[in-house]
Amino acid sequence: MDLALPPPDQVILATGAGLVSILKPLFPDATVVTDLSQLDTVLKSSGQRSIRLISVGFGHIIPAWMLDLCSAGAINFHPATPDYPGSASNHLALYEGAQRFGVTAHITTAAVDAGPILAVRYFDIPPGIGHRSLDELTFPCLLSLVGELAPCFYGHRPFPPRPSQSWRGPARRRSDILLLAQITPDMPPTEQRRRWQAFHEGPDSILTYTQAGHRQPYSAGGRTRGWVDGIIGNSIHGWAYDPGRPPVTVRIEVDGRPFRNLLADEYRGDVAAAGQGDGLCGFSIKTSDLPTGAERIDFLIPSDEWCRIPGAPLTLPA
């Protein structure tokens, strides 16, 4: 696209319904659409006018034939840096341990997040945050870039010099993200932690736990109750219960290092009698299954971080 194009006859702002009141002041003369049906109607009634389409948080892939009707070009604001094209960029950035994130303005093409890049803005990612917290940092960065470039879309001032960044690989699809949002008991603890960090935050988390072919929502933290009973016979016993998403995953650490994750799904009649669900919330591990020489055994449950279950840690007898 030639960024020296004359001002368009009409600007169309394609955005989500919840963003209209926020973005409209930046595009006071724009025609606002919030779905593809509305966009179709506006484009077909535009006649010979020169159209420029701006999409911000639109949530729909715009077909090639619609883009062809935008003779003054189409521009999208992607809520991530060029390192993360496609869906769920915030999750991927956290999974990869990225130290900075941001937003990208680019020419919209039929291929998702593949058009020439117009501008990129970055910010540092605070350590330990989840994907919802990252979204809260991304949104003001996005609005700032939209406001910065809005006069360019009307031809009131030239576009800034094109940056040197390019897209990193093809756009990720939601199916790719769902595969990544799974934890299995045979994963190394470091990999489980990466996926937990990328997907766990909030009650709408898509993180799942798969065991013996059965896939279920991973327990969300903040509501989990439990207790480590101690060593009974040759095993350590305890329970953990989340009223919203049973069963709970319990993480065992030995002498400060992750050792194993257990699913708290053993029946505990005493816990059920105390009103904690159906009682399928117990866990146990034989002391003989612990590493030789183990001294301090900790039991953790997922919250914003891994939190210790009351009654832990235990010190094994010499």
Side-chain angles (χ1 to χ4, degrees):
M1 172 183 172
D2 181 1
L3 299 185
L5 285 174
D9 297 325
Q10 181 180 5
V11 171
I12 300 175
L13 173 63
T15 188
L19 296 177
V20 173
S21 62
I22 298 173
L23 295 173
K24 183 61 175 175
L26 298 175
F27 303 94
D29 301 325
T31 302
V32 178
V33 299
T34 57
D35 58 43
L36 287 175
S37 176
Q38 294 176 9
L39 179 57
D40 176 51
T41 300
V42 173
L43 288 173
K44 288 180 177 177
S45 63
S46 63
Q48 300 300 313
R49 285 176 291 178
S50 173
I51 299 295
R52 178 165 292 159
L53 174 64
I54 310 298
S55 54
V56 184
F58 188 42
H60 303 280
I61 296 176
I62 300 172
W65 71 266
M66 287 188 176
L67 296 175
D68 290 341
L69 295 177
C70 301
S71 56
I75 298 168
N76 179 57
F77 285 83
H78 178 58
T81 61
D83 295 320
Y84 301 102
S87 298
S89 306
N90 51 353
H91 295 289
L92 287 168
L94 294 174
Y95 174 75
E96 293 184 354
Q99 295 185 347
R100 63 177 187 167
F101 199 59
V103 297
T104 305
H106 65 96
I107 305 302
T108 309
T109 59
V112 175
D113 296 340
I117 294 172
L118 303 179
V120 184
R121 296 294 179 268
Y122 292 93
F123 60 85
D124 293 333
I125 300 178
I129 68 170
H131 66 276
R132 297 180 74 181
S133 301
L134 184 56
D135 284 345
E136 292 174 357
L137 296 175
T138 304
F139 186 64
C141 185
L142 180 70
L143 289 183
S144 176
L145 183 57
V146 173
E148 179 183 337
L149 295 183
C152 306
F153 302 145
Y154 287 97
H156 297 160
R157 72 175 186 221
F159 283 91
R162 291 269 303 279
S164 59
Q165 292 96 328
S166 58
W167 296 104
R168 189 185 74 173
R172 282 78 168 184
R173 298 172 297 180
R174 181 168 175 79
S175 57
D176 301 325
I177 304 305
L178 291 176
L179 287 174
L180 193 62
Q182 298 183 49
I183 289 178
T184 60
D186 58 335
M187 283 181 182
T190 52
E191 178 64 17
Q192 293 190 20
R193 179 60 186 173
R194 291 177 67 191
R195 298 188 182 207
W196 160 258
Q197 187 64 44
F199 292 98
H200 81 280
E201 193 177 36
D204 56 349
S205 170
I206 61 173
L207 189 65
T208 61
Y209 189 89
T210 302
Q211 187 173 43
H214 179 59
R215 187 176 180 183
Q216 56 200 335
Y218 197 87
S219 178
R223 301 166 299 187
T224 307
R225 312 156 191 168
W227 187 262
V228 178
D229 301 302
I231 302 174
I232 303 174
N234 62 355
S235 297
I236 301 173
H237 293 265
W239 62 273
Y241 172 63
D242 182 334
R245 292 184 177 181
V248 173
T249 295
V250 176
R251 175 173 173 173
I252 301 175
E253 292 188 354
V254 177
D255 297 327
R257 296 184 178 182
F259 172 65
R260 181 181 298 175
N261 283 2
L262 296 177
L263 205 59
D265 59 356
E266 299 175 4
Y267 181 68
R268 289 285 300 260
D270 57 332
V271 178
Q276 305 299 319
D278 58 6
L280 293 173
C281 58
F283 62 87
S284 62
I285 183 170
K286 293 181 178 179
T287 54
S288 59
D289 290 340
L290 298 171
T292 302
E295 297 180 357
R296 186 176 185 270
I297 314 301
D298 220 345
F299 295 83
L300 310 173
I301 50 179
S303 184
D304 288 339
E305 294 290 341
W306 288 93
C307 297
R308 179 174 291 133
I309 301 177
L314 299 179
T315 300
L316 295 182

